[in-house]
Amino acid sequence: KIRPWRRCIEFTLNSQEYKYAWVRDLRLLGIYIGVWIKLDLVPHLKNVQSSIIPVGVLGKVGNKGGVAVRFEMFNSDFCFVTCHLAAGQSQTEKRNLDFKTIASNLVFDQDDSLQLTIFDHKNVFWFGDLNYRIDLSRNEILYFLDKGQYE
């Protein structure tokens, strides 16, 4: 069964000049990742895998966590990761811990003895709802930006 999101994305992508092929999509509750490539690249696509890791309540609930898709193409490897981290100004430590947990514990099984982690890949694209906040007012932010003070 094709999911509604996938159908909508494919319709939009393939209404353009280039045509795209679905590689893989994966969901962990509200965290979704979908990967498509240009149709003419499909013959070069190898070893597609996906993985999930929940880091929500008690490290088990999937309201927070990460999902990833990896593959190889043209003698290189690619890993796409999206995540949803803890919200709130007071949760920076928890966000940092969740990032580290996802980065080190989300794995792709290669065989009985080998597992790849996210950072075993040459090309990593990490995105998502990271929930980091700048604890300044809009005017303060604009002031520092104007002065070139980014620290």
Side-chain angles (χ1 to χ4, degrees):
K1 177 181 171 185
I2 296 178
R3 297 181 180 131
W5 271 108
R6 182 175 152 197
R7 184 176 297 128
C8 181
I9 292 168
E10 286 176 351
F11 174 80
T12 302
L13 286 173
N14 289 311
S15 65
Q16 308 300 315
E17 176 183 352
Y18 300 103
K19 299 303 177 204
Y20 292 84
W22 170 78
V23 173
R24 179 81 48 99
D25 64 347
L26 187 64
R27 191 180 81 141
L28 173 66
L29 291 179
I31 307 166
Y32 174 83
I33 190 168
V35 177
W36 285 260
I37 62 171
K38 284 186 177 179
L39 193 58
D40 60 339
L41 295 175
V42 171
H44 308 285
L45 186 67
K46 297 186 300 188
N47 301 322
V48 177
Q49 294 178 285
S50 55
S51 186
I52 64 170
I53 183 165
V55 295
V57 178
L58 300 175
K60 302 289 183 199
V61 179
N63 63 320
K64 305 292 187 228
V67 295
V69 174
R70 66 143 338 251
F71 58 85
E72 297 165 18
M73 188 178 342
F74 297 118
N75 297 317
S76 195
D77 52 21
F78 298 84
C79 184
F80 295 85
V81 184
T82 190
C83 66
H84 187 196
L85 303 180
Q89 278 304 96
S90 63
Q91 297 300 310
T92 302
E93 237 177 84
K94 174 71 171 126
R95 278 189 292 279
N96 293 342
L97 177 62
D98 288 349
F99 173 85
K100 289 176 186 174
T101 299
I102 293 167
S104 59
N105 296 333
L106 189 146
V107 295
F108 304 94
D109 292 324
Q110 299 301 295
D111 57 40
D112 292 338
S113 62
L114 178 65
Q115 291 182 326
L116 292 177
T117 67
I118 293 167
F119 294 114
D120 288 325
H121 296 82
K122 293 177 187 154
N123 303 284
V124 176
F125 301 86
W126 194 308
F127 45 94
D129 186 354
L130 306 179
N131 272 317
Y132 284 96
R133 304 287 193 270
I134 298 173
D135 197 15
L136 299 171
S137 72
R138 182 177 190 278
N139 287 338
E140 289 172 307
I141 292 168
L142 292 174
Y143 170 82
F144 289 120
L145 288 173
D146 187 51
K147 299 290 183 194
Q149 297 176 343
Y150 306 117
E151 294 295 318

